[in-house]
Amino acid sequence: MPPLPSHESTRSIAPPSSPEVNPGPDPAGPHPLAEAAADRVALAQDAEASVAAHVEHTAPPLANAASASLSPFAPLSVPVFRMLWLTWVAANTCMWMNDVAAAWLMTTLTTSPVLVALVQTASTLPVFLLGLPSGALADILDRRRYFIATQFWVAAVALVLCVAILAGGMTAPLLLALTFANGIGLAMRWPVFAAIVPELVSRAQLPAALALNGVAMNASRIIGPLLAGAIIASAGSAWVFVLNAVLSILSGLVIMRWKRIHVPSPLGRERLPSAMRVGLQFVRQSPRMRAVLWRISIFFLHATALLALLPLLAKGLEGGGAGTFTLLLASMGAGAITAAMFLPRLRQAMARDVLVIRGTILQAVATAVMAVAPNVYVAVPAMFVGGMAWITTANSLSVSAQLALPNWVRARGMSIYQMAIMGSTALGAAVWGQVATVTDVHVSLGLAAVTGVLAMALVQRLVLDRSMEEDLSPSRAFTAPVADSPPEPGHVVVTIEYFIDPARATEFRLLMQESRRSRLRQGALSWQLQHDIGDPTRYVEQIEDESWTEHLRRFDRVTAHDVALRERKLAFHTGDAPPVVTRLTVER
């Protein structure tokens, strides 16, 4: 195999201003910038070693790991996960209590149906609008402190609500504003929790941990409204917000007990706009994430028809009313909790795509049965089955999303995943509500059931998950270059020169498209493959970065897959010397 190219060498090099490779040592001794860079590298390595030692010390024993991973409760044996999972249950219970109390309070302030409906909009809109910024912040800040801050934000909003109600100053616009503020806290909290779960459990326990998160969501969906209703009936809406504030503060104090080691980047924090761009770029260039987003969007676009039209269905059942609506919701939550207990066995028995299509079919069957259900004796089992299908499909896709994301971009990727859910849910509710208006509720649910299965089958056929074996574990195989003098501000252009046998040019071009995806996922601004007209064996790969610092960040994002990709590219290079690497700054 030819020598390694200098930009991906396993030793540190100083890039020259000319295309020469591996210049000799400076007889005058190391440059101060080189010493500073070496210090930064040593600091990062020491911090990484500390984290590794901490993880090794706190990780659960590996004995009986195979059998333990099959248990749906295995992650709860990890003390930190158990502690944070209980706070997540409390947080989601507060969310449902807040939604119920705010909706009821609005009915006492106004008779306008629009303002009452806007309570739900104010609660969920921040999750869609702020999903990506919150994910970027969760990736570039200390996740522990950020998680704590979101809890205290929600507590502060609840306290303001209490004061406004008890002081008699609550109005409909103020309630909408405070509900939106509470939604901001929820929008900021979800990505950081989704990102920290893989830090807390082993890879084998990750699916069970995500299933337990689904249990937390569905259990809180049952507990929250029941608890809020009891408090409103006995003491008034204000005391729901008091309890929310207390629980949020206690949750924040519990999170403060988590002794997570935050390793700041030696390059400093990413700028928020750049972090958001890189997050979007990673998802766009990841075939696996694109496949997951297509599947989760199609599923929720159609499955949301059942929840969106459930109040009307409950009212239309024999003897139906508010109690029937609550019973149907509780049945769905109970089905989801029950299915979570069997998910480890199901994952062993079936491939992930098989679980997704079968979960979609089961959800469609439940929706179709609800379309013709005459009474609760038929509707309750159908909702129970629907809950089982819901968590099976959502958990399978959530696991796929987590495994498609390296840790450095995990919160951003999961926030985009959540935005896909929220956007498709909102669109689905509007679409199936309009269909029900034009036809009727039963026809709308029937169409949602049929088209949901057909659309998912089509997506699984056309949008393939082609990166199932991609290893995204971090690698230190590439050492960042050190500049002899401070690079000028501006974009950095890197060129890498390959010499390829013309008989293998087609294969090389196909491989370089994979290289393009890899470079852009790491954060490069642009990528090109240039072919020399005068020399048909000469190809130049050109990568442009936002700045020298952003160029260096790409070396921190190298994965085992990138290292393997380098080896495959070098296998095509026919030159005796390694590919020539040149780094240039773009003059302004």
Side-chain angles (χ1 to χ4, degrees):
M1 178 179 290
L4 297 176
S6 61
H7 79 295
E8 293 176 347
S9 173
T10 55
R11 55 193 174 84
S12 180
I13 56 97
S17 57
S18 65
E20 297 177 2
V21 180
N22 295 338
D26 185 352
H31 192 277
L33 282 174
E35 291 181 340
D39 290 341
R40 290 198 299 270
V41 171
L43 174 63
Q45 291 173 341
D46 290 343
E48 184 180 10
S50 299
V51 173
H54 176 74
V55 170
E56 182 178 356
H57 176 71
T58 57
L62 294 179
N64 300 322
S67 60
S69 64
L70 293 179
S71 170
F73 302 106
L76 294 177
S77 65
V78 182
V80 176
F81 177 81
R82 182 171 63 248
M83 176 182 70
L84 294 181
W85 183 80
L86 290 173
T87 65
W88 190 241
V89 173
N92 283 291
T93 300
C94 289
M95 176 188 72
W96 285 103
M97 290 171 60
N98 186 89
D99 287 353
V100 170
W104 181 259
L105 181 60
M106 183 61 82
T107 63
T108 67
L109 298 174
T110 179
T111 57
S112 169
V114 173
L115 289 175
V116 173
L118 282 177
V119 171
Q120 185 66 22
T121 302
S123 177
T124 58
L125 187 60
V127 180
F128 183 77
L129 295 178
L130 303 177
L132 184 56
S134 65
L137 288 172
D139 275 331
I140 64 181
L141 300 177
D142 182 340
R143 288 175 180 171
R144 172 181 171 272
R145 293 184 178 180
Y146 186 64
F147 197 12
I148 293 169
T150 63
Q151 287 298 119
F152 288 135
W153 172 276
V154 172
V157 173
L159 286 173
V160 173
L161 275 162
C162 296
V163 172
I165 295 171
L166 296 175
M170 181 58 69
T171 62
L174 178 59
L175 178 59
L176 288 177
L178 291 174
T179 302
F180 187 87
N182 184 73
I184 291 175
L186 303 179
M188 307 302 271
R189 182 172 61 195
W190 193 90
V192 67
F193 186 78
I196 64 178
V197 169
E199 296 181 22
L200 307 177
V201 299
S202 66
R203 184 184 180 94
Q205 292 178 342
L206 179 60
L210 297 177
L212 285 171
N213 289 349
V215 170
M217 285 293 293
N218 285 280
S220 62
R221 179 183 292 177
I222 299 171
I223 298 169
L226 292 176
L227 188 56
I231 295 174
I232 291 170
S234 60
S237 299
W239 293 102
V240 176
F241 301 116
V242 170
L243 181 59
N244 276 355
V246 171
L247 289 177
S248 297
I249 291 172
L250 290 176
S251 297
L253 295 175
V254 169
I255 298 170
M256 292 176 70
R257 296 178 55 199
W258 178 27
K259 304 303 181 184
R260 179 183 187 268
I261 300 176
H262 175 63
V263 184
S265 171
L267 299 172
R269 293 176 180 171
E270 292 182 73
R271 295 183 304 108
L272 182 59
S274 178
M276 293 167 59
R277 173 188 65 82
V278 172
L280 283 171
Q281 201 163 286
F282 183 96
V283 170
R284 188 164 56 245
Q285 298 301 328
S286 170
R288 190 169 183 182
M289 275 301 295
R290 290 203 308 271
V292 169
L293 292 178
W294 268 104
R295 286 158 172 75
I296 199 67
S297 298
I298 289 296
F299 179 75
F300 274 93
L301 179 67
H302 295 84
T304 196
L306 181 56
L307 277 182
L309 301 174
L310 191 60
L312 296 175
L313 285 174
K315 189 175 180 180
L317 292 176
E318 183 181 336
T324 304
F325 177 60
T326 304
L327 175 62
L328 295 178
L329 278 179
S331 300
M332 187 174 188
I337 294 172
T338 302
M341 303 300 102
F342 296 96
L343 280 176
R345 301 293 177 182
L346 289 173
R347 281 189 293 268
Q348 274 205 328
M350 288 177 274
R352 197 166 293 139
D353 267 0
V354 174
L355 272 177
V356 169
I357 191 64
R358 292 186 179 179
T360 303
I361 292 172
L362 198 59
Q363 172 67 33
V365 170
T367 300
V369 171
M370 285 298 299
V372 297
N375 51 51
V376 293
Y377 299 107
V378 176
V380 166
M383 291 299 294
F384 186 88
V385 171
M388 295 177 68
W390 192 290
I391 197 170
T392 298
T393 307
N395 176 260
S396 299
L397 292 172
S398 180
V399 171
S400 291
Q402 289 279 12
L403 296 180
L405 296 165
N407 189 58
W408 65 268
V409 75
R410 191 179 305 280
R412 279 167 279 189
M414 291 308 294
S415 68
I416 294 171
Y417 174 84
Q418 178 70 3
M419 289 170 66
I421 292 176
M422 299 299 294
S424 57
T425 298
L427 178 60
V431 168
W432 300 116
Q434 183 62 32
V435 172
T437 301
V438 174
T439 58
D440 61 46
V441 172
H442 310 290
V443 172
S444 181
L445 288 176
L447 288 174
V450 173
T451 57
V453 174
L454 294 177
M456 184 63 76
L458 185 64
V459 164
Q460 289 205 346
R461 183 178 180 85
L462 297 180
V463 186
L464 301 179
D465 192 344
R466 294 171 295 181
S467 304
M468 292 297 291
E469 302 303 322
E470 191 171 289
D471 185 355
L472 297 178
S473 56
S475 173
R476 293 287 177 181
F478 301 171
T479 302
V482 179
D484 289 332
S485 58
E488 298 177 6
H491 291 186
V492 173
V493 175
V494 181
T495 61
I496 309 168
E497 186 179 82
Y498 300 91
F499 288 92
I500 307 300
D501 181 354
R504 304 185 66 193
T506 301
E507 297 175 66
F508 179 72
R509 289 192 184 98
L510 288 175
L511 180 63
M512 292 307 285
Q513 288 305 308
E514 190 172 343
S515 181
R516 172 185 178 275
R517 288 192 295 270
S518 174
R519 307 291 191 188
L520 293 177
R521 281 191 303 186
Q522 292 169 353
L525 281 177
S526 64
W527 180 96
Q528 287 182 332
L529 181 64
Q530 302 166 352
H531 190 194
D532 192 334
I533 297 175
D535 183 356
T537 67
R538 181 173 176 266
Y539 290 81
V540 178
E541 181 181 17
Q542 178 177 299
I543 310 111
E544 184 173 357
D545 291 303
E546 189 176 354
S547 65
W548 178 252
T549 299
E550 294 305 312
H551 173 63
L552 296 181
R553 287 194 200 281
R554 287 203 290 112
F555 288 83
D556 290 335
R557 298 165 179 170
V558 171
T559 66
H561 172 75
D562 297 320
V563 177
L565 178 60
R566 175 194 64 180
E567 301 300 324
R568 291 163 62 196
K569 288 188 291 186
L570 286 178
F572 282 90
H573 182 62
T574 60
D576 295 330
V580 176
V581 179
T582 307
R583 293 181 176 87
L584 306 168
T585 56
V586 178
E587 296 284 345
R588 293 184 176 179

